[in-house]
Amino acid sequence: MFGNRLKELRVEKNLSQAQLAAAIGFSQSNLAKWERAVHDPPTDALIALAKFFDVSVDYLLGLEDEFGNILREK
């Protein structure tokens, strides 16, 4: 879920992985691994991404939708 949301937000802003990685202070290879769900991002990266995209960490993690509604697992 996280990787899909991250890529969707990045593409909406017309940013390359390298551009986004530089903007938040991480490497492009880290960003690629997060988008492919190879590795989970550290907390400081989640916070940086949430601030950059002006979304909540819960949204990035798939715990809420774009309107702030909490998503319940079935």
Side-chain angles (χ1 to χ4, degrees):
M1 175 68 70
F2 170 78
N4 293 336
R5 290 220 167 152
L6 175 58
K7 184 173 182 178
E8 180 181 288
L9 289 166
R10 179 179 60 78
V11 170
E12 283 178 8
K13 296 262 189 196
N14 279 332
L15 296 170
S16 68
Q17 287 180 343
Q19 289 170 317
L20 176 55
I24 64 166
F26 287 85
S27 72
Q28 183 273 329
S29 64
N30 280 333
L31 195 68
K33 290 174 186 173
W34 302 336
E35 284 188 2
R36 293 190 327 263
V38 173
H39 292 292
D40 292 329
T43 303
D44 56 337
L46 285 171
I47 293 167
L49 288 163
K51 287 180 179 180
F52 183 85
F53 289 115
D54 194 28
V55 298
S56 70
V57 171
D58 283 349
Y59 175 76
L60 288 173
L61 295 175
L63 300 174
E64 67 182 28
D65 66 17
E66 61 271 17
F67 305 107
N69 298 311
I70 295 171
L71 299 176
R72 307 238 186 255
E73 291 190 35
K74 295 179 180 181

